[in-house]
Amino acid sequence: MMEAVAAAAPVQTGVQAHNTPYLQISGIFKKFGDNVAVDHVDLDIRQHEIFALLGSSGCGKSTLLRMLAGMERPTSGRIVLDGQDITHLAPYDRPINMMFQSYALFPHMSVEQNIAFGLKQDKLPKGEIESRVAEMLDLVQMRKYAHRKPYQLSGGQQQRVALARSLAKRPKLLLLDEPLGALDKKLRQQTQLELVNTLEKVGVTCIMVTHDQEEAMTMATRIGIMSEGQLLQVGTPGEIYDYPNCRFTAEFIGETNLLTGMVSVDEPDHVEIDVPELEGRIWIDHGITGPKGMQVWTSIRPEDVRLDRKPPATPGVNSARGTVVEIAYLGSYSVYHVRLPSGKVIKSMVPSSRWYEAGEEAPTWDETVYVSWRPDLPVVMTR
Amino acid sequence: MNFKRFARKWLRPGRATVIAVPYFWLLVFFAVPFLIVLKISFAEQDIAIPPFTSLLNYEDGGLLHVTLNLANFQFIFGDELYADTYLSSLRVAFFTTVMCLLIGYPIAYAIARTDPARRNVLLMLVMLPFWTSFLLRVYAWMGLLKPNGIINHLLMSVGLISEPLEMFHNTFSLYLVMVYAYLPFMILPLYAHLVKMDIRLLEAANDLGARPLKAFFAITLPLSKNGIIAGSMMVFIPAVGEFVIPELVGGPDTLMIGKVLWNEFFDNNNWPMAAAVATVMVLLLIVPIGLFHRYETRELEGKNV
Ligand SMILES: Nc1ncnc2c1ncn2[C@@H]1O[C@H](COP(=O)(O)OP(=O)(O)OP(=O)(O)O)[C@@H](O)[C@H]1O
Ligand SMILES: [Mg+2]
């Protein structure tokens, strides 16, 4: 936990030193005119990994992916795949295949011909092509539709054909740009697991782009958070959720309460942060790397915020008094919005059983309540 | 149930109007005139106004005589000169179409792939010649190509040649002006098809290992097939019956059916013969139009995504 809270530390790649990464992206930079689309991204990917690039619209995810595919030339930087420098290779010379967001299936070719297209470019023998196409059709369960044209398929079926086509050449690296972006919400959730299963069965190394955090959390072994062309944080879904290293990540992944404050006590075993919005202090039971007087941001997840009618034991520390302004009842839990005297609203996620077990009525609108949290739960960030 | 479907499909007033307009157009401006021409083609030349006999004669005994004169058609099919002329017309139209396609495709492709701001300017340039009369443009070519025309004059005054180049009233000048005149009709439909093509398809082809040239032949060309067909029809059909260009810049030996038609009609005042010539020409053209139409229908039914 110590290093996780070391907020200003460089982007952590999670690759062991002795294990050279399969794909190395170093210092990749891309400008369109004066507009910086990708800003010095360093990233290492291990073999067989499913990596998700996550970020809001226009943050440069697609551009980064297109540079890996060779469809966009980096302004500077280097890409090494499996020991080969591919930075300047043409797309048709790279052992990389991409599944496009709009699928880009060839409309004048049947499902079978679409899947065979890449294999034909390699001038494989006819029998080999046929058996591979059959294998791919089975993989995505599209054998029945082999002779259909793309326009005769549903969105989900088109997605599977696009996947089969991009896997047919057994690429060293598979790129997926918003693989499920064109599907509706319900189909998307079903397809997420199906897609992961297929990718794991094939064992392909994979980078996918999405702006749906749920999709990234469900599918990826690791996630990279991008904003304004920069890669802000890399880690497993759990790491990113529990230990965001910056405000952007904390707010982008899940919901959180973000509090601005100043370090007032900086000891090796604990830290105190003055937070004007709380009219009190946050007391944290471990040290952070950062001097006294530094401005920091503290993230406390709504599920970590406790709601009580009684005042806490230590008023002014890790707690605050406020009034309930909104309650969102979500079945097994409710989210309470509590307005503090400073005007700051703190969200608290309370299990529905909480009041029942305490033998109390649930608090209601305009009631005065106290929010509090354990000293080990807040995450401190310096940017 | 079936009737309901039928009613929904055909009797909705908006839909019916939309369908009726083109059919009405075809009826008034194609079917009726063609039937009149067809009728005249079965008549005999006569010294009268109009200068042909009537097909129907009512006789005293209550007999209605229908006289169909097949002589014109017999003549056309009997005389090799007509066959040669039709063939020659088709040949000229065919090579004009091929040349327009070879020149027009790269132009249409380039326009479709430039950025949208410049695209409209380029399209305007393609259409610019339409702002001048067609006849005027052909006369301009005559002024350029004549033995004592601008080009020869220029080349001789520079000293590149000592004698005028033979480039007027021959096959060269015929094809040059034909291609010049019909090129826009090839470029515009090609452009319309190429510009709506999804560039991502080419990226996908590249990504799957196809080099640009291969991707062009595997993706772009097949997907612009309908543009090629439409453009070719737009050039081929009017080129078969072209009269002005072969008359003004073609060689004396250029046999074109349009020229024969003109001669029969204006010089010989033989309307029935001219009508028969035109009828055979229309029938010759209906075959490719029919093929195109079938293709287009299939296209609309199929790829309407
Ligand atoms: N061909 C281009 N020319 C100029 N600017 C571009 C081009 N492609 C992308 N950009 C710009 O680069 C930035 C990053 O674009 P990119 O497509 O990578 O975003 P993204 O993260 O994929 O967004 P989204 O989630 O909306 O797809 C944007 O500001 C975009 O306007
Ligand atoms: Mg994108």
Side-chain angles (χ1 to χ4, degrees):
Chain A
M1 190 169 292
M2 295 285 269
E3 65 278 351
V5 181
V11 169
Q12 130 199 18
T13 56
V15 169
Q16 298 90 330
H18 59 270
N19 182 5
T20 48
Y22 193 58
L23 173 73
Q24 269 178 299
I25 300 170
S26 28
I28 281 290
F29 181 72
K30 175 70 183 178
K31 257 170 125 174
F32 290 108
D34 287 338
N35 180 6
V36 176
V38 173
D39 196 359
H40 294 103
V41 165
D42 295 294
L43 179 63
D44 290 343
I45 306 282
R46 295 179 224 120
Q47 197 164 8
H48 307 307
E49 180 164 35
I50 299 177
F51 188 92
L53 278 170
L54 184 57
S56 46
S57 186
C59 69
K61 308 177 297 280
S62 294
T63 307
L64 181 56
L65 213 64
R66 288 168 59 79
M67 284 193 282
L68 293 175
M71 279 170 283
E72 217 73 74
R73 232 158 231 281
T75 312
S76 63
R78 220 163 88 94
I79 304 170
V80 177
L81 176 63
D82 197 14
Q84 184 193 13
D85 186 338
I86 59 163
T87 319
H88 301 293
L89 276 190
Y92 42 81
D93 288 330
R94 296 188 185 206
I96 296 178
N97 286 130
M98 175 154 169
M99 190 180 123
F100 289 73
Q101 175 168 4
S102 51
Y103 309 141
L105 294 174
F106 305 131
H108 56 302
M109 296 184 193
S110 66
V111 166
E112 208 172 44
Q113 288 168 324
N114 264 283
I115 298 175
F117 185 87
L119 302 169
K120 282 192 187 140
Q121 307 310 314
D122 285 354
K123 307 224 160 48
L124 291 182
K126 205 164 168 242
E128 169 83 12
I129 293 181
E130 275 168 15
S131 69
R132 277 242 223 141
V133 169
E135 182 192 330
M136 286 300 131
L137 285 170
D138 285 342
L139 182 71
V140 297
Q141 294 158 22
M142 287 292 289
R143 177 154 252 177
K144 270 198 298 197
Y145 304 96
H147 300 294
R148 292 237 186 134
K149 291 276 179 70
Y151 63 85
Q152 294 167 317
L153 301 176
S154 73
Q157 291 167 335
Q158 288 182 20
Q159 184 267 334
R160 272 143 60 190
V161 176
L163 178 67
R165 186 178 72 176
S166 55
L167 283 173
K169 293 185 80 169
R170 300 189 182 143
K172 287 185 174 173
L173 179 65
L174 176 69
L175 305 173
L176 308 170
D177 192 353
E178 306 260 357
L180 309 175
L183 305 180
D184 59 55
K185 185 88 188 159
K186 189 145 179 253
L187 186 58
R188 206 143 128 183
Q189 284 169 344
Q190 287 171 14
T191 316
Q192 280 170 5
L193 292 173
E194 183 187 300
L195 181 57
V196 173
N197 284 340
T198 310
L199 294 175
E200 277 170 355
K201 193 146 76 180
V202 178
V204 67
T205 309
C206 171
I207 299 183
M208 58 177 274
V209 153
T210 173
H211 58 250
D212 181 340
Q213 51 140 321
E214 212 181 293
E215 191 171 297
M217 304 282 252
T218 316
M219 295 178 62
T221 47
R222 283 194 309 151
I223 295 176
I225 305 288
M226 274 187 89
S227 171
E228 291 174 6
Q230 291 179 324
L231 193 57
L232 296 178
Q233 186 171 8
V234 174
T236 63
E239 279 166 6
I240 292 212
Y241 187 83
D242 292 336
Y243 311 115
N245 69 358
C246 59
R247 276 175 290 160
F248 183 86
T249 309
E251 290 196 292
F252 194 74
I253 301 286
E255 288 225 46
T256 197
N257 296 298
L258 211 58
L259 295 160
T260 314
M262 183 126 49
V263 179
S264 59
V265 174
D266 179 26
E267 298 289 334
D269 67 334
H270 80 275
V271 184
E272 284 176 42
I273 301 164
D274 280 339
V275 181
E277 284 170 327
L278 288 180
E279 294 168 3
R281 285 171 296 150
I282 294 175
W283 199 96
I284 293 172
D285 67 352
H286 54 75
I288 62 163
T289 55
K292 204 170 138 178
M294 183 175 61
Q295 170 161 317
V296 292
W297 291 271
T298 309
S299 157
I300 309 167
R301 298 283 179 195
E303 62 267 31
D304 295 339
V305 176
R306 195 184 149 87
L307 196 73
D308 285 292
R309 283 206 173 80
K310 293 195 299 274
T314 52
V317 179
N318 286 355
S319 65
R321 188 175 58 101
T323 41
V324 175
V325 289
E326 205 172 312
I327 307 166
Y329 178 71
L330 295 165
S332 55
Y333 61 88
S334 302
V335 176
Y336 282 78
H337 292 227
V338 178
R339 180 176 293 137
L340 309 186
S342 66
K344 174 81 184 173
V345 174
I346 299 281
K347 279 169 277 184
S348 167
M349 191 190 274
V350 185
S352 304
S353 56
R354 160 95 173 68
W355 312 108
Y356 172 77
E357 280 162 11
E360 284 180 49
E361 287 281 306
T364 177
W365 285 270
D366 298 328
E367 250 194 87
T368 300
V369 291
Y370 294 87
V371 289
S372 61
W373 49 86
R374 285 187 354 223
D376 59 328
L377 292 175
V379 177
V380 182
M381 299 160 298
T382 53
R383 56 177 180 153
Chain B
M1 196 59 202
N2 256 340
F3 175 76
K4 247 168 121 181
R5 262 228 307 273
F6 175 84
R8 217 170 345 156
K9 198 166 170 202
W10 293 106
L11 300 183
R12 274 197 306 202
R15 197 186 177 110
T17 318
V18 167
I19 293 171
V21 168
Y23 276 97
F24 182 74
W25 178 274
L26 278 178
L27 185 77
V28 172
F29 294 105
F30 178 75
V32 172
F34 180 70
L35 287 176
I36 294 172
V37 169
L38 191 67
K39 188 197 99 176
I40 300 174
S41 73
F42 287 115
E44 266 179 283
Q45 193 176 11
D46 195 5
I47 301 176
I49 294 171
F52 53 86
T53 57
S54 162
L55 297 190
L56 305 177
N57 286 309
Y58 192 72
E59 276 181 22
D60 288 341
L63 279 174
L64 182 67
H65 268 273
V66 181
T67 325
L68 287 184
N69 174 24
L70 299 178
N72 296 321
F73 290 99
Q74 274 173 347
F75 196 65
I76 290 175
F77 290 114
D79 192 338
E80 255 174 52
L81 189 65
Y82 281 101
D84 284 350
T85 311
Y86 279 116
L87 275 182
S88 162
S89 289
L90 291 175
R91 192 171 53 235
V92 169
F94 175 77
F95 284 117
T96 301
T97 307
V98 170
M99 282 187 274
C100 279
L101 183 61
L102 292 180
I103 299 169
Y105 201 102
I107 297 176
Y109 188 87
I111 298 175
R113 293 288 175 273
T114 49
D115 58 289
R118 245 191 307 163
R119 229 183 256 162
N120 287 335
V121 177
L122 293 173
L123 274 181
M124 269 305 292
L125 289 177
V126 170
M127 289 188 276
L128 205 61
F130 292 134
W131 290 59
T132 331
S133 138
F134 169 68
L135 216 54
L136 223 58
R137 283 182 280 138
V138 178
Y139 271 95
W141 275 111
M142 292 166 70
L144 284 169
L145 299 173
K146 276 191 302 202
N148 57 350
I150 295 175
I151 293 175
N152 276 321
H153 193 78
L154 209 74
L155 289 178
M156 271 165 32
S157 65
V158 174
L160 273 173
I161 50 170
S162 53
E163 266 174 47
L165 290 175
E166 293 254 348
M167 51 184 183
F168 191 43
H169 283 317
N170 58 16
T171 318
F172 169 77
S173 60
L174 174 69
Y175 280 115
L176 179 69
V177 180
M178 286 288 274
V179 170
Y180 160 80
Y182 286 106
L183 194 56
F185 296 101
M186 180 63 87
I187 292 177
L188 294 178
L190 275 177
Y191 164 81
H193 275 80
L194 286 168
V195 77
K196 69 182 184 197
M197 205 188 105
D198 187 356
I199 298 294
R200 265 164 231 281
L201 295 178
L202 287 181
E203 288 182 347
N206 286 158
D207 183 67
L208 290 165
R211 281 155 193 281
L213 199 65
K214 183 76 210 296
F216 173 81
F217 283 109
I219 311 297
T220 312
L221 200 60
L223 286 179
S224 59
K225 193 157 67 182
N226 292 314
I228 295 174
I229 292 172
S232 299
M233 291 291 150
M234 303 257 299
V235 173
F236 185 82
I237 291 166
V240 171
E242 180 60 47
F243 161 72
V244 174
I245 296 173
E247 177 70 15
L248 293 180
V249 305
D253 53 344
T254 314
L255 293 170
M256 289 290 279
I257 207 66
K259 228 159 129 177
V260 172
L261 228 156
W262 179 281
N263 286 340
E264 294 292 355
F265 194 84
F266 289 103
D267 300 346
N268 303 343
N269 204 29
N270 191 347
W271 289 27
M273 191 64 207
V277 169
T279 303
V280 173
M281 189 173 84
V282 168
L283 293 179
L284 272 180
L285 290 180
I286 271 182
V287 177
I289 295 173
L291 286 177
F292 176 54
H293 183 73
R294 226 183 61 195
Y295 195 87
E296 223 182 16
T297 327
R298 220 172 40 201
E299 177 75 9
L300 283 178
E301 280 165 0
K303 287 185 188 149
N304 208 352
V305 200

